[in-house]
Every structure is written in structure tokens, then in C-alpha cells.
Amino acid sequence: MKGITTQEGRETLNKFKMEAANEVGVNLKQGYNGDLTAREVGSVGGQMVKVISPEQQWIFTRNSVRNTGHCIEITYAVRLSV
């Protein structure tokens, strides 16, 4: 794993991976997990990404500049990355 240089860093990442697996219902074991399907492994990784970089959404309502008396709903979705 590139960038994980300390034992504490490895342990923190493994703990985070186990928590993500538990949240999506994947039975992840310590060590080798070659019996898992690609879908299961992907769901764990996807859950980790969701937690690390959550998507935020803002919804604004404003008056239409073309039609008097009408409102337009505008949605801004932003993905923040760390």
C-alpha cells in the first residue's frame, strides 16, 4: 500500500476497511480474502470512498427570469475529496 509507512497507519487503514465491510454486510477476515466476489470487494471499497469523500447537495429555489410568477429549483451537487 503506497503511502502507508507506519504500522499505526496500516492498522488504522485495516480497521477502517473492516468497519466499511461490516456496514455493507461483507464478511471480511484478517489476512487473505480470496474467496470474496468482485462485487463484495467493490462494495467495501465503495463504502470507504463514500465515507472519505462525501457528496454534498444544495437545493435553491429562485424566481424565473423568463416567466413571471414561476420558480425554478436549482440543485448543486458537490463531491469533496480529501
Side-chain angles (χ1 to χ4, degrees):
M1 288 181 257
K2 186 176 181 181
I4 306 297
T5 57
T6 65
Q7 183 62 30
E8 182 182 2
R10 282 187 206 90
E11 290 170 3
T12 301
L13 184 60
N14 283 331
K15 181 180 175 191
F16 177 47
K17 183 170 44 175
M18 291 298 203
E19 288 173 2
N22 193 25
E23 288 175 10
V24 294
V26 174
N27 187 19
L28 199 61
K29 305 178 294 279
Q30 290 289 342
Y32 183 70
N33 285 284
D35 58 331
L36 297 177
T37 65
R39 175 175 283 231
E40 290 172 322
V41 173
S43 66
V44 173
Q47 182 66 21
M48 291 173 74
V49 170
K50 276 186 188 178
V51 171
I52 290 172
S53 59
E55 184 175 299
Q56 295 189 6
Q57 193 173 56
W58 295 279
I59 299 174
F60 299 97
T61 303
R62 68 170 177 83
N63 291 329
S64 173
V65 293
R66 294 193 177 124
N67 299 323
T68 306
H70 290 78
C71 290
I72 297 174
E73 190 173 272
I74 302 169
T75 303
Y76 294 99
V78 179
R79 180 167 296 259
L80 305 173
S81 58
V82 178

